Amino acid sequence: MSHERRRPAQDRPSAPPSAPDAARLPLLSDCGDCFGLCCVALPFARSADFALDKEAGRPCPNLRTDFACGVHRDLRQRGFAGCTVFECFGAGQKVSQVTFGGTDWRTAPETARPMFDAFAVMRQLHELLWYLTEAVALPSAADSDSDSGSAGRAGATGTVLAAAVHEELRAALERTEELTRGTAEELAGLDVAAHRGAVNVLLLKVSETVRAGVPGRKKERRGADLMGARLKGADLRGANLRGAYLIAADLRGADLRSADMIGADLRDADLRGADLTGSIFLTQAQVNAARGDAATRLPQGLRRPAHW
């Protein structure tokens, strides 16, 4: 949600990306190519995350005329920690530069409402692209044993997807990408909830396959209330943490490898020293919302937040 015309150096990948990271580069927010959509389209309420109330469609008072944030470097100190957590998955630049062809809502006010509505849908589609791109990068049973790239990935994750599931994932990825190329009117009319539901069926299959490769009994914590839970050093390998409320949970030194993290609320969760390598469906927004340190191990493709 914070905007500079270029991505801050500390937020850029420190090394050239590798697959699936290269494929997910367009799914990282690039504020320099966005018309400040998250700072206008979205509402927020005065809280620990935001210093003031703002209704949807009204520009944040910190948004400059060039669509950069006037307090970008001091957001947390000025009471806008929520802005440093938000991630649009690249939807902002997609709507700004592709859907509306570089025409901004200030110079063409009639585009404001359609642009903001398109942004809300595009963000959901791009989030799905994030998950699908991660899933498609897993090797399938149809991959040749002689394919060293696939063999390497299988060795790292211990996961090989059924060929039929892999094919369905590719089709879902292509369909979702196609939807993102629709017009503003087509995006507004999309039943995005139905599309999410269909994709989620596939993501569940991936989750079950990944977690089944972890030996021993896996913890089932889907949607669990774990707010403030004392989970220091807990063995959560292969756990199902979908939609779990882990707000302010103590996860110091916890083993979260191969855990399903989709939708888990990690606000203020203490991840210092935790191992999340190989966890699936974790997003940058979730990482940004948590607390960690140099010893926190993250999945490939996710950045260590500057505020850690």
Side-chain angles (χ1 to χ4, degrees):
M1 200 176 215
S2 54
H3 286 264
E4 280 191 327
R5 298 315 294 161
R6 294 184 183 277
R7 187 187 303 281
Q10 67 268 26
D11 289 342
R12 299 186 192 123
S14 57
S18 58
D21 304 283
R24 292 200 295 193
L25 276 180
L27 305 178
L28 297 175
S29 57
D30 185 349
C31 301
D33 279 334
C34 178
F35 299 139
L37 297 186
C38 61
C39 301
V40 186
L42 305 179
F44 48 76
R46 184 188 296 270
S47 63
D49 291 323
F50 298 102
L52 47 81
D53 294 317
K54 189 192 81 66
E55 62 188 26
R58 180 166 63 88
C60 172
N62 297 316
L63 185 64
R64 302 191 319 213
T65 56
D66 64 350
F67 302 114
C69 175
V71 296
H72 175 81
R73 298 185 183 279
D74 303 308
L75 282 167
R76 287 185 169 268
Q77 295 85 338
R78 289 175 177 262
F80 290 91
C83 296
T84 67
V85 170
F86 183 79
E87 173 62 53
C88 77
F89 299 98
Q93 67 257 28
K94 184 71 162 287
V95 170
S96 298
Q97 304 301 329
V98 178
T99 311
F100 285 85
T103 299
D104 71 80
W105 52 270
R106 276 198 171 121
T107 57
E110 70 280 4
T111 67
R113 177 48 55 194
M115 189 177 296
F116 302 158
D117 291 344
F119 174 66
V121 175
M122 189 71 79
R123 184 183 181 276
Q124 294 189 66
L125 293 175
H126 271 225
E127 182 180 1
L128 291 178
L129 287 177
W130 178 273
Y131 300 139
L132 287 167
T133 302
E134 177 181 346
V136 164
L138 293 170
S140 89
D143 291 328
S144 170
D145 292 336
S146 62
D147 183 343
S148 59
S150 296
R153 291 197 301 276
T157 64
T159 301
V160 177
L161 297 177
V165 173
H166 207 269
E167 191 61 33
E168 288 182 274
L169 286 167
R170 287 193 177 279
L173 177 62
E174 292 173 3
R175 174 57 179 157
T176 305
E177 288 178 334
E178 179 185 355
L179 291 173
T180 69
R181 294 191 290 270
T183 65
E185 293 75 16
E186 289 170 338
L187 288 167
L190 177 65
D191 187 346
V192 70
H195 185 65
R196 287 186 72 101
V199 170
N200 190 53
V201 171
L202 294 175
L203 298 181
L204 278 169
K205 292 180 181 179
V206 174
S207 173
E208 291 167 358
T209 303
V210 171
R211 294 186 297 107
V214 178
R217 185 176 180 180
K218 275 75 70 176
K219 292 181 173 62
E220 179 60 49
R221 294 289 187 269
R222 183 172 183 174
D225 183 352
L226 297 171
M227 291 190 288
R230 298 176 181 178
L231 297 168
K232 181 179 179 181
D235 183 356
L236 294 169
R237 287 175 296 173
N240 184 358
L241 294 170
R242 283 180 158 242
Y245 295 94
L246 288 159
I247 302 169
D250 184 356
L251 289 161
R252 287 175 293 169
D255 190 342
L256 291 152
R257 288 176 293 172
S258 297
D260 186 344
M261 304 296 294
I262 198 166
D265 193 335
L266 294 174
R267 284 176 292 171
D268 290 323
D270 193 341
L271 294 175
R272 287 177 292 172
D275 188 352
L276 292 107
T277 55
S279 62
I280 55 173
F281 305 137
L282 186 68
T283 69
Q284 189 65 50
Q286 289 170 295
V287 173
N288 292 346
R291 292 179 289 136
D293 61 10
T296 305
R297 301 179 65 185
L298 297 173
Q300 187 178 28
L302 294 180
R303 307 181 299 269
R304 195 176 307 279
H307 62 268
W308 281 13

